[in-house]
Amino acid sequence: MNTFRSARHNRFLVPRNAPGYPVRVKIVSVVGTRPQLIKAAALQPALRARHDEVFVDTGQHWDESMAGAFVTELGLARPDYSLGVGGGSHAEQTAAMLTGLEPILLG
């Protein structure tokens, strides 16, 4: 059985029967606000060097004045997916994010 476990001496999740470390994994990074974009800019180069990253923008603040310019200025890759969930109540935005993320995570 090829299950995953956490290795205390290694920060990566590895198959129990894997001969070597580290293993490339698919990581989905979900951002929606400028502070999250700043954090993503620090992590994205390392993630993409070691793993297969899918970059998702929720669209919570997606316009040139709120977040669009940050993507370019911070050197981030353009999002692989943009969910466009801006506007509405917190509950409506959360529901739209979960609905939009489901096919990405399951696909």
Side-chain angles (χ1 to χ4, degrees):
M1 177 186 276
N2 198 13
T3 60
F4 290 88
R5 65 175 172 80
S6 176
R8 286 185 171 211
H9 63 282
N10 194 316
R11 295 187 328 207
F12 299 103
L13 295 178
V14 298
R16 289 183 188 222
N17 299 329
Y21 292 84
V23 171
R24 288 187 72 87
V25 295
K26 181 178 180 180
I27 296 175
V28 179
S29 299
V30 181
V31 299
T33 63
R34 287 179 290 178
Q36 293 170 344
L37 289 168
I38 293 167
K39 293 170 191 171
L43 291 173
Q44 195 173 70
L47 288 177
R48 291 190 171 211
R50 295 177 181 92
H51 303 291
D52 299 321
E53 184 201 29
V54 177
F55 189 42
V56 180
D57 173 51
T58 64
Q60 187 175 349
H61 291 294
W62 189 259
D63 64 40
E64 286 303 313
S65 65
M66 291 292 284
F70 272 61
V71 171
T72 303
E73 290 174 19
L74 295 171
L76 284 163
R78 297 298 287 180
D80 298 303
Y81 298 92
S82 185
L83 304 180
V85 301
S89 70
H90 289 279
E92 290 169 332
Q93 288 185 37
T94 301
M97 282 184 255
L98 292 173
T99 301
L101 283 171
E102 184 177 29
I104 296 167
L105 297 175
L106 297 178

